[in-house]
Amino acid sequence: MPLQVIVGAQWGDEGKGRIVDWFAADADYTARFNGGDNAGHTVTVGNKIFKLHLIPSGIIHDQTIAVMGNGMVINPKTLLEEMDSLSRADISVTPERLHISHAAHLITPAHLALDRAMEIARAAGNIGTTGRGIGPAYTDKASRRGLRMADLLSNDFTDRIRDHIIEGNRTLHILGVPELDATKISDEYQEFAARLKPFITDTSCELHSALRTGKTVLAESAQGTLLDVDHGTYPFVTSSTTTAPGVLTGLGLGLDAAREARVIGVVKAFQTRVGSGPFPTELDGEMALRLRGTGEQPWDEYGTTTGRPRRVGWLDGVLLRYAVRINGISELAVTKLDILCGLEKIQICTAYRRGQEELTDLPFGLMDLSSYEPVNVIVPGWHEKISDMRTWEELPTAAQGYLDKLATMAGVPVRLVSVGSERKQLISR
Ligand code: IMP
């Protein structure tokens, strides 16, 4: 199937990186279509851990071409750092292998400063952003005053970046935070431009041709469905379209590209969230600690980008069903099943209750999520260590039962199950 889409079915951090890695082994192109370096995708290969924030994680596979689509917002400084760190790890990052859309937007120091200043100004009502300038960059895009990758190629870029910083300084001044040095930043961005120029191209045209000639394009979403700017738990969301339909606008493809698309929803075996906002199945106390881990292991629930401890809870079937609908998910990849090993009993939220009403679909989508109580069912846990298992048949009956329950709630099959963080610790069904 030429277009394959990997989306997060929760609040991000579902472990998409390793699922992308699995599919990327057979892909010609691997493409990011939304977000920026707020994302953190981790792939473990043997004893090497790759943490990617901007470049599609599929680049780790030699045969792929990595594309950064027009729907992205790109901080050139962190992009160059990431390119250098991949090169040091012997991953080739040349203009032949990495193609950046001319229409992707630039993140600047003004966006970073505004993001942080606005979070402070929101005080108790803050969103808990990653502080990477994502919201302000998309705001500039929507207000038609953003800078794009193609601007790096223009002769008057120095003036444009300087004007942009001066404009940003006006708002920073109102917010009472220090202003930025426009000349210094414009010099720095000239250097970035010189290095990035060879990578900038018309990726929409390229991907269109690739799909027409039967090549496989793997689109990897950043963040998760519940953080989508339209369909997530607004306003506690990111500023981009994180869901599968965003692949088309974010890569510059037409509806024909979606005709035979395969949409793989990645869902963690339990629920996590970073940042503020409602979380109906959230846990605290000992069980939360048990699911989160202490932060000593790379797979513990602490942010790849910010290091913040993640909020944790039982799997939410209502939100999963919602994610299947909004994305058109055709199959699921369940991650971190191994973390549930050793629990006597596991809970799953199958419906919400508000007053006398019990609901499996919500009247206004994710609005007012905090007004519902989760209705949980209890299923048996298992004690067997599953990290070395590689087939569905080997899994304990209770683990199979948990996955079957999840598939029934979602209405789509579970095709992949991860039982550990290493590349090989996957069960394909
Ligand atoms: P922003 O994208 O930095 O503006 O942050 C907006 C919200 O999305 C905050 O709650 C962040 O914690 C959350 N968020 C952004 N990126 C990620 C991610 O990659 N994983 C999980 N949460 C994220």
Side-chain angles (χ1 to χ4, degrees):
M1 221 172 263
L3 181 64
Q4 299 176 333
V5 182
I6 309 266
V7 286
Q10 295 161 311
W11 276 293
D13 307 319
E14 296 92 352
K16 293 180 288 297
R18 57 156 324 145
I19 303 299
V20 166
D21 179 58
W22 197 83
F23 280 93
D26 298 320
D28 299 297
Y29 286 83
T30 159
R32 276 268 311 264
F33 63 91
N34 76 301
D37 60 347
N38 48 346
H41 294 166
T42 307
V43 183
T44 309
V45 186
N47 56 7
K48 276 193 181 169
I49 298 179
F50 298 94
K51 290 192 178 200
L52 294 132
H53 299 281
L54 275 166
I55 298 175
S57 35
I59 198 167
I60 293 169
H61 290 269
D62 292 342
Q63 89 289 354
T64 60
I65 293 177
V67 169
M68 298 173 70
N70 58 277
M72 291 188 72
V73 284
I74 300 173
N75 180 335
K77 185 167 193 263
T78 51
L79 173 59
L80 287 165
E81 283 166 7
E82 194 162 301
M83 287 162 71
D84 291 343
S85 105
L86 282 172
S87 300
R88 281 195 299 276
D90 295 326
I91 307 287
S92 151
V93 191
T94 57
E96 287 71 43
R97 287 209 67 213
L98 176 66
H99 300 170
I100 306 171
S101 166
H102 63 284
H105 276 248
L106 279 170
I107 291 188
T108 69
H111 295 137
L112 296 176
L114 286 168
D115 191 3
R116 288 165 195 167
M118 278 164 11
E119 274 290 86
I120 292 168
R122 285 185 199 110
N126 74 18
I127 293 165
T129 73
T130 58
R132 302 295 163 115
I134 305 297
Y138 278 114
T139 302
D140 273 358
K141 172 177 175 171
S143 8
R144 295 154 295 182
R145 59 173 184 224
L147 293 170
R148 307 205 285 180
M149 292 308 288
D151 291 321
L152 293 176
L153 308 175
S154 74
N155 293 332
D156 62 349
F157 179 65
T158 316
D159 297 335
R160 290 202 208 176
I161 179 88
R162 199 181 302 114
D163 291 349
H164 161 85
I165 300 293
I166 292 168
E167 179 70 32
N169 276 342
R170 289 199 189 102
T171 318
L172 290 173
H173 179 74
I174 296 167
L175 291 168
V177 293
E179 293 175 28
L180 303 166
D181 183 337
T183 308
K184 192 169 154 227
I185 292 168
S186 114
D187 289 349
E188 195 183 23
Y189 269 62
Q190 285 300 332
E191 285 170 32
F192 298 155
R195 275 195 69 190
L196 288 173
K197 268 178 192 171
F199 295 86
I200 301 168
T201 170
D202 184 346
T203 52
S204 154
C205 190
E206 184 182 359
L207 290 175
H208 179 77
S209 312
L211 286 170
R212 286 192 76 145
T213 51
K215 298 246 165 38
T216 301
V217 175
L218 179 66
E220 31 174 305
S221 167
Q223 294 84 45
T225 302
L226 308 175
L227 290 173
D228 183 278
V229 69
D230 285 287
H231 304 293
T233 46
Y234 192 89
F236 300 104
V237 292
T238 190
S239 301
S240 68
T241 299
T242 62
T243 42
V247 168
L248 301 181
T249 45
L251 293 180
L253 295 171
L255 282 172
D256 54 333
R259 217 170 276 145
E260 290 178 33
R262 180 175 176 188
V263 183
I264 301 110
V266 185
V267 55
K268 206 179 275 185
F270 49 100
Q271 203 84 13
T272 64
R273 170 164 212 176
V274 267
S276 321
F279 185 168
T281 61
E282 186 167 12
L283 288 163
D284 55 19
E286 245 174 63
M287 187 53 80
L289 199 61
R290 165 72 176 70
L291 294 178
R292 182 183 304 118
T294 53
E296 281 153 34
Q297 303 297 340
W299 53 85
D300 284 348
E301 295 294 346
Y302 291 76
T304 316
T305 302
T306 58
R308 291 181 288 181
R310 295 181 187 138
R311 299 157 67 195
V312 294
W314 297 121
L315 185 82
D316 191 322
V318 179
L319 297 184
L320 178 59
R321 204 168 18 246
Y322 177 80
V324 170
R325 168 161 67 86
I326 295 290
N327 290 290
I329 289 172
S330 47
E331 62 211 89
L332 292 172
V334 180
T335 57
K336 295 190 93 168
L337 188 67
D338 50 307
I339 300 297
L340 299 183
C341 286
L343 295 180
E344 206 63 50
K345 289 174 179 145
I346 303 170
Q347 297 191 33
I348 314 179
C349 165
T350 53
Y352 285 164
R353 186 178 298 115
R354 184 157 62 183
Q356 299 305 312
E357 262 185 313
E358 204 170 288
L359 301 153
T360 49
D361 281 308
L362 305 179
F364 283 103
L366 304 187
M367 233 175 118
D368 292 334
L369 213 52
S370 55
S371 64
Y372 299 99
E373 282 289 316
V375 178
N376 289 350
V377 295
I378 298 177
V379 296
W382 61 93
H383 289 281
E384 297 91 323
K385 194 167 167 286
I386 61 172
S387 318
D388 296 327
M389 299 180 181
R390 295 291 176 270
T391 61
W392 176 265
E393 291 69 31
E394 281 173 275
L395 284 174
T397 314
Q400 291 180 356
Y402 183 73
L403 294 169
D404 283 340
K405 173 98 194 143
L406 197 152
T408 307
M409 277 187 318
V412 290
V414 171
R415 292 271 186 238
L416 275 181
V417 183
S418 93
V419 291
S421 61
E422 213 285 322
R423 182 182 256 178
K424 295 202 182 88
Q425 292 177 300
L426 266 184
I427 293 174
S428 164
R429 196 185 183 190

